Amino acid sequence: MTLGPSSKLDLAIRPRRLRRNATVRRMVSQTQLTANDLIYPLFMMEGENQKVEVASMPGCYRFTLDLLVKEVQEAFALGIPAFALFPMVDDALKDNVGTESYNPDGLVPRALKAIKAAVPESVLITDIALDPYSSEGHDGIVKDGVILNDETVAVLVKQAVMQAQAGSDFVAPSDMMDGRIGAIRTGLDGAGFTEVGIIAYTAKYASAYYGPFRDALDSAPKFGDKKTYQMDAANSNEALLEAELDVSEGADIIMVKPALAYMDIISLLKQNFNTPIAAYNVSGEYAMIKAAAEKGWIDEKKIVLETLTSMKRAGADLILTYFAKDVALMLK
Ligand code: PBG
């Protein structure tokens, strides 16, 4: 068949003009993922010169502090500015009230000091919640099967002040207790830490996507689930309420977690609040990509870049991701 002039459509607007080659596409690209957007979550454990791969998270390790420092040095050199630290705590140190969570000689404060000594410009973010320290595997104190709110918040404040003393730049309450952001802000300010920020896990959903993380830290709940404090996947209005509370109580950055199944929530918070939005590309999201890639069913690098770029397009200013180092390398 010959294509004559008659086969031309009379179109004033042809969107494909802006997709015609890589250079034009680069000119009109709305979203650029950079290493600056990344926060690298790291697992750590006691010991020396060891790293143990997390079974359900291939390529992710629990590091002893000496190797953790090296990992941070490498990642910082690749342009990753910030790190979120998660401890694996010995069972013997766990109790119902999370006493170890505010021990000034614990794993987290020692990690903060070691990393700050080696990489002083790194930004260190520490999780606030009782679960890695709790004999019940819950984020709060348990009484008669119920997670106590106000009593837990009092412990979280102690944990935050201890972490600030040890050098944390941002504390990140992931516990979902009511009123914790205000109480932690007051506690930090009262102890003289007005410069230490708060990254609030604002819309944290009760999610099966956290499974591999709980393997990594051996922190799964010993009974029940986390649905009396973490949010219901069916709800979005609640995310707006939680964000209003967290911002008014002093959160500097608000977070949506998980990210992939909650892109609408990222977008909703972006449209309604002026604080930066963080999205947590959680352990289950990482595991799904790794598993499919291992089977040769997907192209891991392309899927990772597409996924994280889409999170940014949805409204995430910052992304916590176990792929951080891989991505920083890809973007180099
Ligand atoms: C602890 C905490 C969890 C995660 C971050 N902080 C697990 C949970 O709430 O059970 C999950 C992170 C991930 O799955 O990657 N409160």
Side-chain angles (χ1 to χ4, degrees), residues 131 139 174 204 210 213-214 226 230 257 282-283 322:
D131 53 331
D139 291 24
S174 70
K204 178 171 179 180
Y210 307 150
F213 175 97
R214 295 174 188 170
K226 298 193 175 186
Q230 298 179 350
K257 177 186 179 187
V282 298
S283 57
Y322 303 99

Side-chain angles (χ1 to χ4, degrees), residues 155-213:
V155 181
L156 301 178
V157 172
K158 288 192 203 177
Q159 187 181 13
V161 171
M162 181 281 286
Q163 291 175 350
Q165 268 156 357
S168 182
D169 296 293
F170 287 90
V171 296
S174 70
D175 54 285
M176 292 302 280
M177 295 301 122
D178 294 334
R180 88 266 208 228
I181 303 301
I184 289 170
R185 187 68 271 160
T186 305
L188 288 173
D189 291 351
F193 296 109
T194 52
E195 299 302 312
V196 171
I198 300 178
I199 301 180
Y201 284 72
T202 290
K204 178 171 179 180
Y205 285 86
S207 171
Y209 282 98
Y210 307 150
F213 175 97

Side-chain angles (χ1 to χ4, degrees), residues 29-93:
S29 163
Q30 277 185 268
T31 309
Q32 281 84 37
L33 184 68
T34 78
N36 299 330
D37 309 323
L38 305 176
I39 298 174
Y40 186 12
L42 288 165
F43 302 123
M44 60 207 190
M45 62 182 186
E46 295 288 358
E48 257 175 62
N49 196 28
Q50 270 188 46
K51 59 178 204 177
V52 176
E53 193 168 40
V54 179
S56 47
M57 301 175 73
C60 266
Y61 300 85
R62 277 192 307 263
F63 296 96
T64 55
L65 294 190
D66 46 354
L67 298 190
L68 182 77
V69 168
K70 282 193 187 143
E71 184 72 5
V72 171
Q73 280 170 323
E74 278 176 36
F76 191 77
L78 288 170
I80 298 169
F83 303 86
L85 307 179
F86 296 98
M88 156 110 147
V89 178
D90 195 277
D91 272 340
L93 296 173

Side-chain angles (χ1 to χ4, degrees), residues 44 65 85 100-120 122-128 133 157-171 188 191-193 196:
M44 60 207 190
L65 294 190
L85 307 179
E100 181 64 14
S101 67
Y102 54 89
N103 175 4
D105 301 315
L107 191 54
V108 169
R110 278 181 283 128
L112 286 167
K113 287 173 194 159
I115 299 170
K116 280 289 174 185
V119 195
S122 61
V123 167
L124 302 184
I125 301 164
T126 44
D127 207 67
I128 301 282
Y133 311 96
V157 172
K158 288 192 203 177
Q159 187 181 13
V161 171
M162 181 281 286
Q163 291 175 350
Q165 268 156 357
S168 182
D169 296 293
F170 287 90
V171 296
L188 288 173
F193 296 109
V196 171

Side-chain angles (χ1 to χ4, degrees), residues 228-281:
T228 68
Y229 43 108
Q230 298 179 350
M231 288 170 47
D232 183 339
N235 297 348
S236 58
N237 290 343
E238 240 179 306
L240 287 170
L241 174 60
E242 288 284 0
E244 265 170 45
L245 290 169
D246 286 359
V247 169
S248 69
E249 291 175 29
D252 300 284
I253 295 173
I254 56 178
M255 195 197 297
V256 175
K257 177 186 179 187
L260 199 50
Y262 298 85
M263 294 285 212
D264 57 325
I265 308 298
I266 296 173
S267 171
L268 185 67
L269 295 195
K270 186 65 185 174
Q271 285 161 27
N272 286 281
F273 294 90
N274 294 319
T275 54
I277 310 285
Y280 201 141
N281 174 218

